[in-house]
Amino acid sequence: KNARWRAYAKGCIELCERYSEQIMEGRTNLNEAPKDIKRLEVLKPPTIPPMRERYEAFIAKEKRLEAVTTPAVASGKNNKANNNNKKGSKQKRDEEDDDDDDV
């Protein structure tokens, strides 16, 4: 299992490095600074949605992709152990509640 997670982490790091390189390249090719882009937003065609809507759509798309690529973690053994712990803590609380009634 560790090899799988190590490979997953390495892939994530490589992907982040690749994206950062693309961003740095893209910024060097810009004629305007990123802070000036907001001023240029006024000049866009009316058919294109505003920057906030485009950003929210992008984030929603990323969340969908993240949900699809997230590995399943739950397994049968872990679920049974968690259920037993929950039952044990509930029984403890019930016993503590019973102590108050004896007074």
Side-chain angles (χ1 to χ4, degrees):
K1 287 185 176 182
N2 288 337
R4 180 179 69 178
W5 290 110
R6 192 177 310 124
Y8 183 75
K10 186 177 180 181
C12 289
I13 291 170
E14 288 175 357
L15 184 66
C16 289
E17 288 175 352
R18 192 170 357 136
Y19 283 166
S20 67
E21 288 173 6
Q22 289 175 352
I23 289 170
M24 288 189 303
E25 255 182 52
R27 284 186 177 173
T28 58
N29 295 332
L30 285 177
N31 294 331
E32 300 84 17
K35 63 182 181 182
D36 296 335
I37 298 294
K38 196 166 190 174
R39 289 187 213 147
L40 294 174
E41 188 73 14
V42 176
L43 303 175
K44 70 173 180 45
T47 56
I48 296 177
M51 187 184 297
R52 178 175 293 275
E53 290 178 14
R54 292 191 315 251
Y55 175 75
E56 289 172 355
F58 175 76
I59 295 299
K61 180 182 174 185
E62 287 294 317
K63 284 183 181 178
R64 285 193 307 266
L65 290 174
E66 182 181 344
V68 170
T69 59
T70 305
V73 179
S75 67
K77 292 179 183 177
N78 291 338
N79 288 340
K80 289 180 184 176
N82 288 338
N83 288 337
N84 289 338
N85 289 340
K86 289 178 185 175
K87 289 178 185 175
S89 64
K90 184 177 181 185
Q91 288 173 351
K92 280 185 180 178
R93 280 187 265 131
D94 289 342
E95 291 172 7
E96 290 173 5
D97 290 341
D98 290 340
D99 293 340
D100 295 332
D101 295 335
D102 296 335
V103 177

